[in-house]
Amino acid sequence: MKVRLKGDAICTLFLVVALGSLLYSQLEHLAPAGNKELTHRKPSVTQRIFSDLKAPGRPMPVEATVPRPQIIPMVRRAEVANNRVQTTTSPPLTDSTFNFKRYLLNKDNRNFNLLINQPKKCRKIPGGPFLLIAIKSVVEDFDRREIVRKTWGREGLVNGQQIQRVFLLGTPKNRTVLATWETLIHQESQAYRDILLWDFMDTFFNLTLKEIHFLNWAAEFCSNVKFIFKGDADVFVNVENIVDFLERHDPTEDLFVGDIIYNARPIRVQKSKYYIPETMYGLSIYPAYAGGGGFLLSSRTMRKLSRACKEVELFPIDDVFLGMCLQRINLKPILHEGFKTFGIVKPSAAPHLQTFDPCFYKDLMVVHSLKVAEIWLMWNLLHSPRLSCTQKKQVKKPFQWKKKVQTATR
Ligand SMILES: *[C@@H]1O[C@H](CO)[C@@H](O)[C@H](O)[C@H]1NC(C)=O
Ligand SMILES: *[C@@H]1O[C@H](CO)[C@@H](O)[C@H](O)[C@H]1NC(C)=O
């Protein structure tokens, strides 16, 4: 768990980070022996992979936590948003022409019908499911849902615990892209019984509606669940690790775990996808919130959040909105290092490096931004009987991915 940052600690951290990245940028010019220095500097994830690749077979001195400068994730997130559209010179995304006035006017319109339900999803499991996996998807992303169903999102037993799955959908904003969408979704629902469809337009700024409606659905139709994982369809989730982690927690107590972002500032740059004017949010810092790529919550927390979110005004960034609900119930979200909801960032100085090492993913819980084929491949590599990552299999030991000594096996 992270220690909260104090003012001067932040300064020190920035220095450490700056020094780290400086050393890192020099790394290509260093002889392999030089890596030692680098690994002494509390390496970032990429640096760890990097040094691992540079010196295969060498035990990695993985040091415990460096509290990272907590403002960075939000900035990085905005950068990611900008990078995606930098190929064109036009302002980023149609979403950035977001009409705040209209949003504010329509803010009270927050109850939409459930068009497709799975009322027995949880009720049919005696004693309730151990884990409900709830995945945000859009109708058009049929292939993503298929791959999630076949890999980490499988229903059934994991370490003896029952896993159930639902996809969370709104109506497509551009219906000409997939004229057959209604037939598709009804067919999918018949075939897999894992579709929840609400009658609001599935847009980025309506993800908050998805959050609210899902929590209400879970409180009504899945109150017997023990834990919930909620995340995106473009993540890789190591469900075994998650189950292992959750087995050491009590579903009747509060629990909210993920890649928590502290002290993020609202972005006041109008061009940004995450731009929020002061009229909408006047404070200078957001409450702590979890990156939307994936997080875990207990049954108790789900019920509390479902009630609390009803009393929080709609806010167009869904993960920040949930942070506001958490604040309302006075629950501190817990940061876990196994959640990489900003992906494993490839060093721009060395784009040829491979970060696709199953032994690395073996120790994580959630990794964001994977392609469909990568999800399939990673799942298969991880479940291959030939995979050997020298370290002992963790069975009942507390989940501590940082403590291990890894050797590359390629
Ligand atoms: C919907 O998608 C089609 C095909 O991609 C495109 O030609 C059309 O302009 C889009 N319509 C809107 C309103 O975005
Ligand atoms: C959210 O969905 C509603 C209902 O479909 C729609 O009227 C509204 O324009 C959407 N809002 C945004 C910001 O996309």
Side-chain angles (χ1 to χ4, degrees), residues 167-321:
F167 288 102
L168 316 176
L169 302 166
T171 58
K173 63 171 176 240
N174 185 342
R175 297 178 184 199
T176 57
V177 174
L178 189 61
T180 55
W181 77 270
E182 284 185 279
T183 323
L184 169 74
I185 283 304
H186 280 101
Q187 202 59 37
E188 255 187 277
S189 173
Q190 295 261 308
Y192 299 109
R193 302 268 166 224
D194 61 2
I195 297 289
L196 297 179
L197 174 72
W198 285 279
D199 193 13
F200 57 79
M201 209 194 288
D202 213 336
T203 62
F204 175 78
F205 289 108
N206 264 346
L207 284 175
T208 300
L209 289 177
K210 214 175 251 190
E211 195 77 63
I212 296 173
H213 285 84
F214 167 66
L215 286 169
N216 290 344
W217 179 87
E220 183 173 356
F221 294 101
C222 200
S223 56
N224 59 357
V225 75
K226 303 212 166 38
F227 298 99
I228 293 174
F229 169 83
K230 181 163 179 286
D232 286 336
D234 62 344
V235 297
F236 182 82
V237 182
N238 194 324
V239 177
E240 283 86 356
N241 283 350
I242 285 186
V243 168
D244 186 47
F245 173 82
L246 290 175
E247 278 178 332
R248 283 175 278 113
H249 287 87
D250 181 351
T252 63
E253 285 176 9
D254 275 322
L255 178 76
F256 190 100
V257 185
D259 187 3
I260 309 302
I261 297 141
Y262 301 92
N263 301 324
R265 290 169 183 280
I267 292 179
R268 308 292 192 196
V269 181
Q270 281 204 27
K271 287 197 307 196
S272 168
K273 183 181 182 185
Y274 300 95
Y275 167 67
I276 294 294
E278 281 176 38
T279 49
M280 180 158 265
Y281 189 81
L283 305 179
S284 63
I285 281 186
Y286 286 138
Y289 67 92
F295 51 83
L296 293 169
L297 62 161
S298 67
S299 191
R300 177 187 166 93
T301 301
M302 172 268 286
R303 280 190 296 273
K304 279 184 163 182
L305 280 177
S306 142
R307 284 192 298 267
C309 287
K310 288 190 177 113
E311 287 153 18
V312 176
E313 279 198 32
L314 282 195
F315 189 77
I317 305 176
D318 63 327
D319 31 17
V320 174
F321 172 81

Side-chain angles (χ1 to χ4, degrees), residues 79-94 271:
E79 279 168 5
V80 168
N82 286 335
N83 284 345
R84 270 195 202 127
V85 290
Q86 258 169 19
T87 42
T88 65
T89 46
S90 57
L93 301 173
T94 47
K271 287 197 307 196

Side-chain angles (χ1 to χ4, degrees), residues 334-346:
I334 297 169
L335 175 71
H336 193 294
E337 284 294 327
F339 290 75
K340 302 288 172 201
T341 62
F342 293 98
I344 296 174
V345 184
K346 267 193 196 180

Side-chain angles (χ1 to χ4, degrees), residues 138-147 149 184 188:
V138 292
V139 168
E140 298 89 318
D141 279 354
F142 174 75
D143 52 346
R144 285 214 166 265
R145 291 193 292 282
E146 275 296 274
I147 206 68
R149 285 176 181 125
L184 169 74
E188 255 187 277

